[in-house]
Amino acid sequence: MKVTKRLGARLGLGLGLLLAAGPAAASWGMNLTRGVTSLSQSVYDLHMLVLWICVVIGTVVFGLILWSVIHHRKSRGVTAAQFHHSTAVEIAWTVVPMLILIAMAIPATRVLVAMHDTGDADVTIKVTGYQWMWEYEYIDEDIQFFSRLDRESDRVRQLRSGLDPREVENYLLNVDKPLVVPVNQKIRFLLTANDVIHSFWVPDLGWKRDAIPGFINEAWAEIQEPGIYRGQCAELCGRDHAFMPIVVIAKSQEDYEAWIAEQRAEANGVPEVAAEEAPVEEAVAADMDMDDLMQRGEDVYGAQCAACHQADGRGNPPMFPTLAGSDFVVGPAEDVIDIVLNGQGAMPPLGGVLDDADVASVVTYIRNAFGNETGDVVQPADVQAAR
Amino acid sequence: MTAATHDEHHAGPPSSFLDRWLFTTNHKDIGTLYLLFALLMFFVGGAMAMVIRAELFQPGMQLVDPYFFNQMTTMHALVMIFGAVMPAFVGLANWMIPIQIGAPDMALPRMNNWSFWILPFAFAIMLATFLMPGGALAGGWTMYPPLMLQHGMAFPFAIFAIHLLGISSIMGAINVVATILNMRAPGMTLMKMPLFVWTWLITAYLIIAVMPVLAGAITMLLTDQYFGTSFFSAAGGGDPVMYQHIFWFFGHPEVYIMILPAFGIVSAIIPTFARKPLFGYSSMVYAVASIAFLSFIVWAHHMFTVGMPLAGELFFMYATMLIAVPTGVKVFNWIATMWRGAMTFETPMLFAIGFVILFTIGGLSGIMLAIAPADYQYHDTYFVVAHFHYVLVTGAVFSLFAAAYYWLPKWTGHMYDERLGKWHFWLSVITVNVLFFPQHFLGLAGMPRRIPDYAVQFTEFNMISSIGGFAFGLSQLIFVWVVIKCIRGGEKATDQVWEGARGLEWTLSSPPPYHSFTTPPKIESSAGLEGSPR
Ligand SMILES: [Cu+2]
C-alpha cells in the first residue's frame, strides 16, 4: 500500500519532469556523474559536449519532420512536389556531419590518450575478480584482502526475503571491507580475474575496465576529494553478478598511512585496533555444540555457498560440484576445511571472509546435511589449527 | 484434359493442409509461415521481457532466482534476434522480392521450404533447454567464455540450435541473392530495383559473410568444453578476448542485418504516403552499401573496455563515428521525401514516421557510445540497453509493423481495420518511450545491465520503465487482433490499395495469384519505380 502510494506520487512527478524539466530531477540521478578524478571530469565534459550536439541535431531533425507533417499534408489541399534529387544538397549533408564528427573526435582522442597513460603511479593495487567478490592486493605494502557484499544487503537480497531494501543503507552498494586509497596520488589499478570475466566500475573514477582471467589490464585514477565512492561489477559474471559491489574510501595521506599501519599490524597478529568486533570473536572461539554449529552453518551456507552449490547441495555440475552424497565432503574433515579456507579452481578462498567459527559451522553443516551423515562436528579450534 | 489439370495445378494452392504448408515450395506460403512464426516468437520473447520487467519493478528479489533471471535476459535476446526479427524480415523477403522484381517465385523453392522448416525444430531445441538440468543458457546472448563454459546440458543443445539457425539463415540468404540476381523481369536493371530489394540483397551478403563466423566461434566454445582445446582459455595459452573479437565480427554486421531491410521498407512507405518519389534513390543505395562495408570494421566498439592498445581503440572509435554519415544521409533523404509532399497518415505511414524519429534517437545515442572514453562509463549499463532497444524495437520492429500494415491488404485482399491500427500505433509509440527512455537515465546514473536487483536510487525509473513495458506488451495484442480480422474478411482491397503506391506488387491482384508473375511484366522506362518521377 505504502509502495503504491509512493509510486503514484513519484510516477506523476516523474512523468511531469520527463516532459518538462528533465535535468531538474538531479536527485533521482539522471545524468552521468562528474566524478572525483581529473579523468572523470574530462569524461563528463566530453559526455556533455556530445550530448548537447546530439540534442541540437535531434531538435533540428525532429523539427523538420514536425514542420513537414503539419504543413505538407494532403488534408491541407497541397499538391505533392515531384523533385527527387539534388546533388548539392546530398553533398552538403554528407560534408557537414563529417565536420561535426571531427569536432567530437578531437577532444575524444585527447581524453583517450590521457586514460591510457598509466605510468608514474604512486600506489599500485592489484584487483582480482572472483565469483562473486573482489580481492585487493597492495603491491608494495604486502596487504591483501577480499571484499564482498555486506551481510545486511545479502540477507535482504535473498529471493522472497520479505525484507525491505529501502531500509538498508546503501543496499547492494556496501561491502564488508572496502578498498582504501589515498587522495591526490596516482593510483594504478592492475585488473584481472580468477574465474570468469568481471568488470571493475566505480563511476566516480570515470571508467570501467574488464577483469579478465589470465590477463592483466591497467587503468589509473587520481582522486581529488576524500570520500566514499561506490560501484559494482559491470560484466555479467554468473548468478550473483548483481551482488559484487565495490566501495572505495579515499583518505588523506595521513589517514591512509595510519590505515596501512593498522592493516600491517593486523596481519602480524597484533590484536585488532577496532574493538567492536572483538567480543563476537571471543564468544565463538570456544567449542560449540552440534545444534549451534548446524544452525550457524546453515546461515553461512546460505550466504556463501548456496549460490553455486545450491540450497539443497545438488550443485550445478560440472562447474559447481554436488555436495549431497559427495565422498569428498564426508571424507577427511581436514581436506574439506582446507578447500574452504584456500579455495580450489572456481572455488574462491574463503579464509579471509569467514572466521574460524563460520568455517567450522559450515563444514559441520555440509557434512551433516542434504543426506550426508558423518555425525561428527568440526570445532573452531580445528580450523584455527588448519589456517 | 492434361492441359486442364496442368492449368489447375498452377492456378491455386494444393487442397491438403500438409501439402499446402509442410511441403510447400510457394514463396508466398513460405513467407506467411515465416511471418507467423516470427509473430509467435515475438510473444515468446516478449513474455520473457515481461518476467524481466516484473522482477525489476522494485528493488529486492521478489519473483525469480537470479540465475533464472539471467536465463530470461539471455533467451529473450536469442529468441527476439533469431526467432522474431530475422525470420520476420526473411518472411517479407519471401513474400515481396519475387513480386517486386516481377518473378514467378524464389529461385530455389525447395531450399526455401527447408530453410523455414529448420526454424521450428531449432527453436524447439533451444526452448527445451529450459527443462534440462541447470536450465537454459544464462551467460548472455553474447556467450562470452569462460562464463559460457559454466553451463550444464543446455550448452551443447543451444549451440546445436544456433548452428541450425545459422544454416537456415544462410540458405535463406543464398536464395535471396539467387532470386535477385537471376529472376528480375526484363528491363529491371539493378538501379531500378525497389530499395527493399536492394537492402535485402546487401543484407543477404552480410548474412552469408558472418553467420559462418558465428558458427566458428561457438564451435570453438564447444571444443574448448568437450575436446580439450583451449582457444579461449588463458591457462592453455588461449585468450578469452579472442572470442569477443570473433563474436563481434559476426555481431556487428548482425545488427545491420536487422536494420537494413527496415531501411528498405521505410523507403517504400514514405514515398507512397507522401505521394512523391523517393528523394536521392542512388544515394540511398550507396549509403546502404557503405553502412554494410563499415559494419565489418567497427566490431571492437562493443569491447572498448577489454583493454585494447590505444591505436586500436582510436581506429574503432573513428570508424564507428563514420557510420553516422551514411546513416544521416538516409534520414535526411527520408525527410526530403516527405518535404512538400501531400501526406496522409494511415497506419503504415505512422509507423514509418515513428521509425524515422525513434531510430534517429537510437542513432544519436549510438554516436555517444562511439566516443571511446565516454563509452568507458556507458558500456554495459542501461544506457546501452536503451540505445539498442531504440534501434531494434522502435527501429526494426516498428518497420516490421509498418510493412505488415502496408502489405496486409495486398496479402489478404482485405483492408485491415484502420481504427484498430491507429490504436496499435499510438499505444505502442507512447508506451515504448515510457519503457525505454528512462533507461537512458538509469544507465547514466550508474545502473549496470543484466542485473536482477539494484540499489534503491534506481527504483523510480525502473518502475516507470516496467509499467511502460507491461503496457507495450499488452498493446501488441491489438496487432494480433488486426491481423486475424484482416485475414478473415473486411473491405475488399483494390489492386492499387494505396493511392500513391508504385511498383510491380501493385499491378497484381489483391491477393496476388498463387504463382506471382507467370509471364514477366514489361518494365517501362520509368514505370512505377523508386527514384523516378511518376
Ligand atoms: Cu563480476
Side-chain angles (χ1 to χ4, degrees), chain A residues 48 50 104 112 131 182 214 247 257 294 296 313 335 347 349 362:
Chain A
M48 291 313 285
V50 181
M104 292 194 275
L112 194 61
Q131 284 173 316
V247 178
E257 274 160 18
M294 285 299 280
R296 182 163 176 168
D335 296 347
M347 168 101 177
V362 79

Side-chain angles (χ1 to χ4, degrees), chain B residues 277-361:
Chain B
L278 182 71
F279 188 87
Y281 171 85
S282 45
S283 74
M284 288 296 235
V285 173
Y286 300 140
V288 172
S290 355
I291 292 172
F293 168 74
L294 287 171
S295 77
F296 285 107
I297 56 164
V298 296
W299 74 86
H301 69 213
H302 294 270
M303 33 191 293
F304 278 139
T305 62
V306 299
M308 280 178 286
L310 178 62
E313 301 212 319
L314 287 174
F315 171 79
F316 285 109
M317 174 169 81
Y318 298 149
T320 304
M321 292 170 79
L322 216 50
I323 293 188
V325 176
T327 313
V329 166
K330 299 203 71 79
V331 172
F332 296 135
N333 274 323
W334 289 321
I335 298 174
T337 307
M338 291 162 65
W339 200 256
R340 290 184 46 216
M343 283 188 275
T344 50
F345 301 93
E346 289 86 347
T347 312
M349 183 63 162
L350 290 175
F351 272 106
I353 295 175
F355 170 95
V356 175
I357 294 175
L358 299 174
F359 173 80
T360 301
I361 293 180

